[in-house]
Amino acid sequence: MLRYMHRSGFQPFSQRLLPRVQSVAVPRSHGVQPSAVRHVRSWSNIPFITVPLSRAHGKPFAHRSELKHAKRIVVKLGSAVVTRGDECGLALGRLASIVEQVSVLQNQGREMMLVTSGAVAFGKQRLRHEILLSQSVRQALHSGQNQLKEMAVPVLEARACAAAGQSGLMALYEAMFTQYSICAAQILVTNLDFHDEQKRRNLNGTLHELLRMNIVPIVNTNDAVVPPAEPNSDLQGVISVKDNDSLAARLAVEMKTDLLIVLSDVEGLFDSPPGSDDAKLIDIFYPGDQQSVTFGTKSRVGLGGMEAKVKAALWALQGGTSVVIANGTHPKVSGHVITDIVEGKKVGTFFSEVKPAGPTVEQQGEMARSGGRMLATLEPEQRAEIIHHLADLLTDQREEILLANKKDLEEAEGRLATPLLKRLSLSTSKLNSLAIGLRQIAASSQDSVGRVLRRTRIAKNLELEQVTVPIGVLLVIFESRPDCLPQVAALAIASGNGLLLKGGKEAAHSNRILHRLTQEALSIHGVKDAIQLVNTREEVEDLCRLDKIIDLIIPRGSSQLVRDIQKAAKGIPVMGHSEGICHMYVDSEASVDKVTRLVRDSKCEYPAACNALETLLIHRDLLRTPVFDQIIDMLRVEQVKIHAGPKFASYLTFSPSEVKSLRIEYGDLEVCIEVVDSVQEAIDHIHKYGSSHTDVIVTENEKTAEFFLQHVDSACVFWNASTRFSDGYRFGLGAEVGISTSRIHARGPVGLEGLLTTKWLLRGQDHVVSDFSEHGSLKYLHENLPVPQRNFS
């Protein structure tokens, strides 16, 4: 049965075809081909594989990231997705969202098809309403209002419900798709349409013609004529569709579809029934993994449980179609679940034939947690020994490291800007500095994990200790800078934390060898797994969703990267700064000899760094003085582009163009100059436009300097020193995992101390709280006890 849906007065098909966007890649041909019997692979034992497939062998996508290339897509809407919680009507909000997503993808130039349930639910709602209205007025009046509400409604036959609801369901889809100028067509099928060769060819031709005309086919089993339910299968008139999962799989394979999206009421496939204590969502499912899954009960509506979905998915996968099973009912994700899947995001369970060579990122996270716990139990001297060995490897293996780095630089040439190339580059001097910093970390690690911060005698024989412990599993995401890897690794080792590292693709060769050397150092005490390098195709946004694995995310890179991670992190704390808008205030009593050196070092020494100077505040009294002239001359010699703040521009007849914003991190040889009238005005400017990173005052007046140091509310505040000192190595921390501008836990350059938290240890002897009540036998003492000091040679 075929029914075209269009608005009255709609143009003929030949005149109203929408222009197709050609930017979406087409991975395979989708032409109709003669039917041929396919070879069924040995791992497939699905009972409904009885229909010869009319397509040549095609390979499904191997990785999620390839799903963005899907041209032809089937979206299967399960009964629980389209049906309301009371099972008597449709979930209109969810349907509207699904139609919107399908329309967006259709208008991108993709070919979308829907397999939908819902006719029975819609019909049940209508028939129940008709039955209630048909009750006699006398019966309704004598029953009373409350009894009327509880009036028994007879069990409705599912096929009758389908017959009554099908037209309404399609009218609803018509109204929704019309809002996006998209035409849809209804196709009702039965098993015979697939088993009978002539009917199957007719169906195939119809679908191809609809897709050619940019129409969205909406396919459903013809519930009004389906066979009755199996014995002992009491549906109570809810949903009698038993085969929509297999229908969607058959349709996807028949039409040589690139992607089948199966939407249900669970997040995807779990290794045990969802809701059970140890149930884990399976990110990628491979053929043959069925034995590792324990299936639970079926959906609240319909007859298609998760086991049926998996069988259908594996059959479609065998036929060359990629499959994702995901949640279409969750209010926080259902509004973009389809588009997220097509964009390759980590949503639901992805079915793949290609097993990765190494562990998944979830497995790496578990390995990091287990290895980190073992690392934390080592003696401080053992952790220090690992770091010392890594420092030695950096210098001993420098030739191999520099050779790998050379490959990265050659591949990045012409693709990366000069500042980023500088960050990417390693040298002998950089490796030597790294080794020195690592040895500093090793020295400080002697008194890190397990250090007693406080001891309290709560009562007699009841003593409390607060001790330092690792945070858990850290995820550090960094761009361009391979030297970040050994620095962060050493800090993680010293603090006993497990570590996941996600480096940029531009530093892949360098990161790989540096990670190998790190694991070599860890191996001397059997904790190789504590530090993992993520080499899989996971996007940063996907990693930020691993809230059950990762305890803290630390981004190191551009301000845009940090902002993206802070936005994407769901339930995981993020330590870092989104911007490095560093200020230098040149006071009226500043030394002529100092100012130029400080400005040059802060701005020109490494302009791409987050601690580089971005805004120079100059006291009004210095305008048209030798100090001001020397600053301007030096900036011109260094080829620094000057942007004028509003007040500075007003003082000059001919000046640089006025800056568009006073809150800009240039990251290059550019600087904003603004004029202020006092130290207080400078402080107010910093608080309004700064990013709480690093701010400096240049003055010879100690009182003014102390006022600035005490009143500027930034992570780092300096007097007569370059902004570039804001660095873990320069602070004597050995290295840093990043610079934090947050106000919780750690601030400024975050070294070893910032990667520790605490726990409380209470040692008693049969103590109970009731003994300390008003009439109890014990009283609280709360005596401070001396903290033991460790002795290190």
Side-chain angles (χ1 to χ4, degrees):
M1 177 181 176
L2 174 65
R3 173 174 173 252
Y4 289 107
M5 304 193 317
H6 57 85
R7 291 168 290 181
S8 59
F10 218 79
Q11 291 178 321
F13 288 126
S14 60
Q15 299 177 22
R16 65 174 174 77
L17 294 181
L18 297 176
R20 306 302 297 268
V21 180
Q22 299 300 324
S23 59
V24 181
V26 185
R28 297 189 288 275
S29 170
H30 295 290
V32 184
Q33 299 192 14
S35 67
V37 178
R38 281 186 40 107
H39 171 67
V40 178
R41 277 177 260 183
S42 59
W43 52 258
S44 178
N45 58 357
I46 302 165
F48 55 77
I49 303 184
T50 57
V51 182
L53 309 179
S54 64
R55 65 173 294 175
H57 174 71
K59 281 199 169 291
F61 296 122
H63 306 284
R64 282 184 186 269
S65 59
E66 298 171 351
L67 295 180
K68 61 173 66 82
H69 300 303
K71 170 74 172 178
R72 184 170 290 175
I73 301 170
V74 170
V75 179
K76 185 262 177 178
L77 309 181
S79 304
V81 176
V82 300
T83 307
R84 287 198 324 235
D86 62 3
E87 303 172 12
C88 292
L90 302 181
L92 297 179
R94 288 201 292 266
L95 277 182
S97 174
I98 288 167
V99 167
E100 180 180 20
Q101 295 174 75
V102 170
S103 300
V104 166
L105 295 172
Q106 180 82 2
N107 287 328
Q108 286 178 356
R110 304 179 199 266
E111 297 172 339
M112 306 298 296
M113 290 179 279
L114 282 182
V115 174
T116 179
S117 303
V120 175
F122 205 145
K124 183 178 180 182
Q125 181 185 36
R126 297 176 68 178
L127 292 183
R128 282 177 60 127
H129 184 66
E130 290 298 323
I131 291 172
L132 288 173
L133 289 178
S134 68
Q135 302 287 345
S136 68
V137 175
R138 186 182 303 275
Q139 181 183 0
L141 290 175
H142 285 287
S143 298
Q145 187 65 29
N146 292 332
Q147 294 181 21
L148 182 61
K149 291 180 179 178
E150 298 172 0
M151 186 181 298
V153 177
V155 174
L156 300 174
E157 208 280 324
R159 287 176 293 181
C161 291
Q166 191 66 46
S167 61
L169 175 65
M170 298 312 298
L172 179 62
Y173 275 120
E174 175 182 9
M176 289 181 173
F177 275 111
T178 296
Q179 301 302 313
Y180 302 94
S181 300
I182 289 177
C183 184
Q186 174 187 355
I187 300 180
L188 297 179
V189 298
T190 64
N191 282 332
L192 188 60
D193 293 302
F194 288 95
H195 286 280
D196 183 86
E197 181 63 24
Q198 185 59 47
K199 290 180 179 292
R200 194 165 63 87
R201 288 185 178 181
N202 292 342
L203 175 62
N204 189 299
T206 300
L207 287 168
H208 276 93
E209 182 65 11
L210 292 174
L211 294 177
R212 187 187 68 80
M213 293 189 295
N214 197 31
I215 295 172
V216 176
I218 299 178
V219 185
N220 193 5
T221 52
N222 193 346
D223 295 341
V225 297
V226 294
E230 295 177 1
N232 303 321
S233 179
D234 184 9
L235 302 182
Q236 298 182 351
V238 181
I239 302 285
S240 66
V241 174
K242 296 175 53 182
D243 205 26
N244 263 7
D245 293 313
S246 58
L247 166 62
R250 286 173 173 174
L251 178 68
V253 174
E254 177 74 20
M255 295 299 294
K256 301 179 177 62
T257 302
D258 300 314
L259 173 62
L260 168 61
I261 298 174
V262 179
L263 296 184
S264 181
D265 57 352
V266 292
E267 279 68 25
L269 176 61
F270 288 78
D271 58 359
S272 56
S276 58
D277 291 340
D278 298 323
K280 292 183 180 179
L281 179 66
I282 299 174
D283 171 40
I284 306 178
F285 189 80
Y286 305 99
D289 285 355
Q290 294 94 314
Q291 295 80 4
S292 64
V293 177
T294 302
F295 293 100
T297 57
K298 295 178 180 179
S299 171
R300 63 173 174 82
V301 289
L303 286 178
M306 184 55 72
E307 188 170 8
K309 290 176 175 56
V310 171
K311 288 181 178 180
L314 289 174
W315 188 73
L317 187 70
Q318 175 193 358
T321 296
S322 296
V323 184
V324 175
I325 297 178
N327 192 337
T329 64
H330 196 293
K332 291 186 178 180
V333 299
S334 59
H336 43 79
V337 60
I338 299 173
T339 50
D340 278 356
I341 289 171
V342 176
E343 289 172 9
K345 294 182 180 178
K346 203 166 193 175
V347 178
T349 300
F350 173 63
F351 287 71
S352 175
E353 292 184 309
V354 181
K355 283 198 172 186
T360 66
V361 69
E362 289 83 2
Q363 291 170 333
Q364 285 187 294
E366 294 298 336
M367 292 163 66
R369 185 174 296 282
S370 176
R373 286 171 176 162
M374 292 177 60
L375 185 63
T377 62
L378 296 179
E379 294 297 323
E381 295 81 2
Q382 292 175 307
R383 289 192 294 272
E385 185 181 356
I386 293 172
I387 300 171
H388 276 295
H389 187 50
L390 177 57
D392 293 339
L393 288 172
L394 290 178
T395 53
D396 295 344
Q397 304 292 326
R398 70 166 61 92
E399 296 301 326
E400 191 175 353
I401 297 171
L402 294 178
L403 184 61
N405 185 244
K406 183 181 178 182
K407 292 181 181 178
D408 288 326
L409 290 170
E410 290 173 349
E411 293 176 6
E413 191 68 40
R415 295 190 299 109
L416 292 183
T418 302
L420 292 178
L421 282 173
K422 188 175 181 182
R423 286 188 178 190
L424 178 60
S425 175
L426 293 175
S427 63
T428 300
S429 61
K430 269 191 178 183
L431 293 176
N432 289 337
S433 296
L434 273 174
I436 294 171
L438 263 57
R439 293 187 178 97
Q440 289 179 348
I441 295 171
S444 62
S445 71
Q446 297 286 328
D447 191 22
S448 55
V449 180
R451 177 162 52 93
V452 179
L453 302 178
R454 179 185 306 180
R455 293 180 65 227
T456 305
R457 179 176 287 119
I458 303 296
K460 184 179 179 181
N461 295 325
L462 184 63
E463 293 188 2
L464 178 69
E465 283 185 348
Q466 184 185 20
V467 300
T468 57
V469 293
I471 289 174
V473 175
L474 313 177
L475 167 63
V476 178
I477 303 169
F478 56 101
E479 296 177 323
S480 300
R481 292 180 53 180
D483 54 329
C484 173
L485 193 153
Q487 290 177 334
V488 174
L491 288 169
I493 295 167
S495 57
N497 283 289
L499 178 61
L500 287 175
L501 291 158
K502 175 65 173 176
K505 297 177 182 177
E506 65 280 355
H509 298 291
S510 305
N511 290 337
R512 198 173 297 118
I513 184 172
L514 291 171
H515 177 248
R516 178 171 62 78
L517 297 178
T518 301
Q519 290 200 310
E520 183 178 333
L522 288 164
S523 297
I524 65 175
H525 287 296
V527 287
K528 177 182 177 181
D529 290 341
I531 296 179
Q532 300 286 326
L533 180 65
V534 178
N535 287 317
T536 55
R537 294 176 176 236
E538 269 78 11
E539 300 294 334
V540 168
E541 186 174 342
D542 294 329
L543 294 173
C544 291
R545 294 176 180 173
L546 302 178
D547 57 308
K548 291 181 175 61
I549 295 176
I550 297 164
D551 298 298
L552 178 66
I553 302 175
I554 305 172
R556 294 193 62 172
S558 67
S559 58
Q560 186 61 50
L561 170 72
V562 179
R563 283 194 295 269
D564 289 345
I565 291 172
Q566 289 173 333
K567 183 178 178 181
K570 306 296 183 184
I572 308 176
V574 179
M575 180 187 291
H577 63 280
S578 58
E579 294 173 306
I581 305 176
C582 302
H583 292 75
M584 179 178 289
Y585 166 56
V586 182
D587 185 53
S588 58
E589 298 182 62
S591 165
V592 178
D593 298 331
K594 294 177 182 177
V595 171
T596 306
R597 277 171 47 82
L598 291 173
V599 174
R600 177 188 286 112
D601 189 81
S602 298
K603 178 71 260 184
C604 308
E605 195 260 341
Y606 196 172
C610 65
N611 57 14
L613 172 64
E614 303 294 6
T615 300
L616 184 62
L617 302 176
I618 297 179
H619 194 284
R620 180 182 58 181
D621 292 348
L622 294 180
L623 292 178
R624 302 183 180 88
T625 66
V627 175
F628 178 78
D629 293 341
Q630 285 185 22
I631 294 173
I632 298 299
D633 289 343
M634 181 275 297
L635 292 174
R636 286 173 177 166
V637 169
E638 297 291 341
Q639 298 182 331
V640 177
K641 183 178 180 179
I642 298 174
H643 302 274
K647 289 187 68 174
F648 179 45
S650 68
Y651 280 100
L652 304 174
T653 305
F654 300 100
S655 67
S657 59
E658 186 173 332
V659 69
K660 294 181 179 179
S661 171
L662 290 169
R663 188 182 176 86
I664 295 179
E665 181 180 14
Y666 297 103
D668 206 344
L669 288 174
E670 300 181 58
V671 70
C672 172
I673 297 180
E674 182 58 309
V675 175
V676 294
D677 293 337
S678 65
V679 64
Q680 184 60 59
E681 188 176 337
I683 293 170
D684 293 342
H685 180 104
I686 290 169
H687 287 164
K688 184 175 182 179
Y689 300 108
S691 60
S692 300
H693 191 295
T694 301
D695 299 292
V696 174
I697 182 173
V698 182
T699 184
E700 295 303 302
N701 188 312
E702 183 177 352
K703 184 178 179 181
T704 302
E706 289 299 327
F707 183 85
F708 184 91
L709 294 175
Q710 297 303 318
H711 286 79
V712 171
D713 189 17
S714 297
C716 300
V717 189
F718 302 161
W719 172 23
N720 287 349
S722 168
T723 59
R724 298 274 293 119
F725 278 105
S726 182
D727 176 83
Y729 174 74
R730 298 179 183 114
F731 276 17
L733 306 178
E736 67 189 38
V737 292
I739 295 180
S740 172
T741 56
S742 67
R743 300 173 187 275
I744 297 176
H745 185 62
R747 227 178 160 206
V750 180
L752 179 56
E753 293 293 325
L755 299 181
L756 297 171
T757 185
T758 64
K759 71 177 179 182
W760 298 87
L761 305 177
L762 185 63
R763 298 178 176 90
Q765 294 181 3
D766 193 31
H767 288 81
V768 293
V769 172
S770 59
D771 287 342
F772 294 86
S773 63
E774 183 178 353
H775 302 291
S777 58
L778 296 177
K779 300 294 182 184
Y780 289 111
L781 299 176
H782 292 150
E783 296 177 358
N784 290 328
L785 299 176
V787 175
Q789 300 296 320
R790 291 181 178 178
N791 294 319
F792 302 104
S793 57

